[in-house]
Amino acid sequence: MEESREDHDDGTVARVAAIDIAKASGMVCLRVPHDTIEGRRVQKVWTVASTTNAILELGDKLVCQGVERVVMEATGSYWRPFFYILEARGLDCWLVNARDVKNVPGRPKTDKLDAVWLAKLAERGMVRASFVPPKPVRQLRDLTRTRTVFVQERTRHKHRVDKALQDAQIKLSGVVSDLFGMSGRAMLDALAAGERSPRILADLARGSLVKKKPALVEALTGQFENHHARLLRVLLGTVDHLTAQIDELDRLIVQTLEEITTPHDGPEPGPGPSAGVSARAVAENLDAVPGIGPATAQIILAEIGTDMSRFPTPEHLVSWAKLCPRTIQSGAKNTTGPAGRGNPPPAFGRGDPQAQGRPRRSRQRRCPHRHLPRRPLPAHRQTPRPRQSPGRRRPLDTRHQLASDQ
């Protein structure tokens, strides 16, 4: 017989507080044991503004009440001030998934009732804490996610450059594999500077493109006007600005990795205390794995941190990262459900953000209504069916009788 760990520790909490967080305020529910009557609990609900002074005052009040745990629902990014300030005050803060604390359907829904329901679930140990990394890892995550967004924006503006060239009948992207390579960028700068001669522009080719000069002359022959030149200058300036910001973020990410240390997993090197391993060294070890580049290794460390004690087994980590299907078992039937959706930034070996533009969307997100029945085609698109004249209908078989005749 398998013994469960929950049999010894049911997770109940005597003094608990729950916060239903909104944009400008939070509804706080405090539940503590009664002073004189055993088995009865005292409940208090009030509203707290989401300003720094109000949250600090709330932290002092909860500490005076001896609150053992503060539970709050993940609501956008509005939970961050409450979580960070109360955590710095010394309180045990739990961030829970809104899916796990949904109220019973059919009951009224208000902020007060949601806070009371969350507090009741927390005091009975019926919630699970979400993974919130420590402050250095959170700062690294902010940098990597911002870099991913900037890379996507730069790719979007590169596509706009090609769109402007197509509008001017310049088919350069059909001949050049990389429009922003050395040769392609030189031609774009010359076009923005006012050069219009296809032969002069084709002479800017370098490397293997020198063999394609006739094709380049044909592709650069178009109707490129001053309007396209002004638009191209703006787009190229935006691409250069985003490239400079990405380089700065790369420098800050490397600097942050140097400041993060992880405990040494192997045997102690000596009698003195271990200095730990730098997160940059861990990123270099991840870079040695096939399919993981330097940027992907940095994203992995930013998303899961360096402390693997938060995940009991590798299977827990894979499940948390939404990389394995969900198990569904009912009776003798075992099926698998969808893996679910994790955080938006592409991580865990899906390629470096510099090599990919926007994250690839799943088929369900591209076709959210594919489970609905198809709409009928318009009348002008329907294929007319040949009508059969009444005289040529198939005769009714006499063996087919109605149920009433039987």
Side-chain angles (χ1 to χ4, degrees):
M1 180 180 296
E2 182 181 358
E3 183 179 2
S4 177
R5 183 176 55 184
E6 284 77 11
D7 295 338
H8 303 284
D9 185 11
D10 55 359
T12 57
V13 183
R15 313 179 77 87
V16 66
I19 309 176
D20 185 74
I21 302 174
K23 181 178 181 179
S25 63
M27 187 69 66
V28 183
C29 177
L30 175 65
R31 290 178 62 87
V32 296
H34 197 275
D35 296 335
T36 58
I37 305 176
E38 184 180 357
R40 181 173 297 183
R41 302 186 64 80
V42 179
Q43 174 179 298
K44 181 181 179 181
V45 183
W46 72 98
T47 304
V48 176
S50 60
T51 58
T52 302
N53 293 329
I55 299 176
L56 288 174
E57 183 179 353
L58 172 64
D60 296 338
K61 186 173 184 178
L62 296 180
V63 170
C64 294
Q65 292 291 335
V67 173
E68 303 175 22
R69 183 173 299 163
V70 181
V71 181
M72 60 194 71
E73 180 182 346
T75 308
S77 59
Y78 303 137
W79 59 270
R80 298 176 184 270
F82 285 91
F83 191 96
Y84 297 158
I85 296 177
L86 295 179
E87 184 184 40
R89 188 63 180 84
L91 294 168
D92 182 20
C93 297
W94 275 26
L95 182 70
V96 297
N97 196 334
R99 179 192 57 191
D100 300 337
V101 297
K102 185 179 295 184
N103 205 339
V104 179
R107 294 187 178 183
K109 184 185 183 306
T110 61
D111 293 341
K112 181 177 179 180
L113 293 178
D114 290 345
V116 173
W117 178 259
L118 182 59
K120 290 181 178 180
L121 293 178
E123 70 182 8
R124 290 168 172 82
M126 300 177 65
V127 294
R128 297 179 300 175
S130 300
F131 171 58
V132 180
K135 185 176 181 179
V137 180
R138 293 198 300 260
Q139 295 176 352
L140 177 63
R141 179 183 293 183
D142 291 338
L143 294 175
T144 55
R145 292 186 176 184
T146 304
R147 181 181 63 182
T148 301
V149 173
F150 282 7
V151 170
Q152 295 172 2
E153 288 295 327
R154 183 177 64 177
T155 304
R156 185 180 304 174
H157 283 80
K158 288 182 179 180
H159 292 164
R160 289 184 178 273
V161 169
D162 185 44
K163 186 177 180 179
L165 295 179
Q166 296 294 334
D167 183 72
Q169 198 59 22
I170 301 296
K171 304 297 182 179
L172 184 59
S173 59
V175 181
V176 180
S177 59
D178 185 7
L179 194 60
F180 282 82
M182 181 179 298
S183 301
R185 184 55 194 264
M187 298 176 190
L188 292 178
D189 292 338
L191 283 171
E195 184 61 49
R196 300 292 183 267
S197 175
R199 296 187 178 277
I200 297 178
L201 293 173
D203 290 337
L204 298 175
R206 296 292 183 270
S208 60
L209 282 178
V210 177
K211 304 177 183 179
K212 301 182 180 180
K213 280 190 176 181
L216 286 173
V217 173
E218 185 68 22
L220 292 169
T221 302
Q223 299 176 355
F224 196 87
E225 302 176 355
N226 294 332
H227 164 71
H228 301 100
R230 290 191 294 265
L231 180 60
L232 185 59
R233 283 194 294 269
V234 172
L235 294 175
L236 292 179
T238 305
V239 171
D240 294 340
H241 174 71
L242 290 173
T243 302
Q245 296 296 323
I246 292 172
D247 294 339
E248 177 65 17
L249 287 172
D250 289 337
R251 186 188 65 82
L252 294 176
I253 289 173
V254 173
Q255 180 180 350
T256 307
L257 287 173
E258 291 286 353
E259 300 173 356
I260 300 176
T261 58
T262 179
H264 187 73
D265 295 335
E268 296 294 336
S274 176
V277 181
S278 173
R280 184 175 181 180
V282 178
E284 294 176 355
N285 293 335
L286 288 175
D287 187 14
V289 178
I292 298 181
T296 304
Q298 296 168 359
I299 293 176
I300 292 176
L301 291 180
E303 296 296 329
I304 67 177
T306 57
D307 185 13
M308 294 294 100
S309 63
R310 298 298 300 266
F311 306 100
T313 61
E315 289 77 10
H316 284 78
L317 173 59
V318 174
S319 177
W320 176 86
K322 303 297 182 182
L323 295 178
C324 65
R326 186 166 62 96
T327 302
I328 302 176
Q329 182 269 333
S330 178
K333 185 178 181 181
N334 293 323
T335 58
T336 57
R341 293 172 56 186
N343 293 327
F348 307 108
R350 299 180 188 175
D352 289 348
Q354 287 85 354
Q356 64 181 5
R358 305 186 59 166
R360 182 175 299 178
R361 299 181 178 180
S362 62
R363 181 182 177 185
Q364 185 176 4
R365 293 185 62 188
R366 292 197 305 265
C367 306
H369 305 294
R370 59 187 176 92
H371 61 282
L372 297 178
R374 293 185 177 180
R375 295 181 180 179
L377 293 176
H380 66 278
R381 295 187 58 186
Q382 294 181 0
T383 304
R385 295 183 178 179
R387 287 191 175 183
Q388 195 174 18
S389 60
R392 299 181 58 184
R393 289 181 180 176
R394 183 178 179 180
L396 181 63
D397 195 344
T398 57
R399 292 174 298 176
H400 293 175
Q401 298 179 357
L402 298 177
S404 59
D405 297 336
Q406 296 177 355

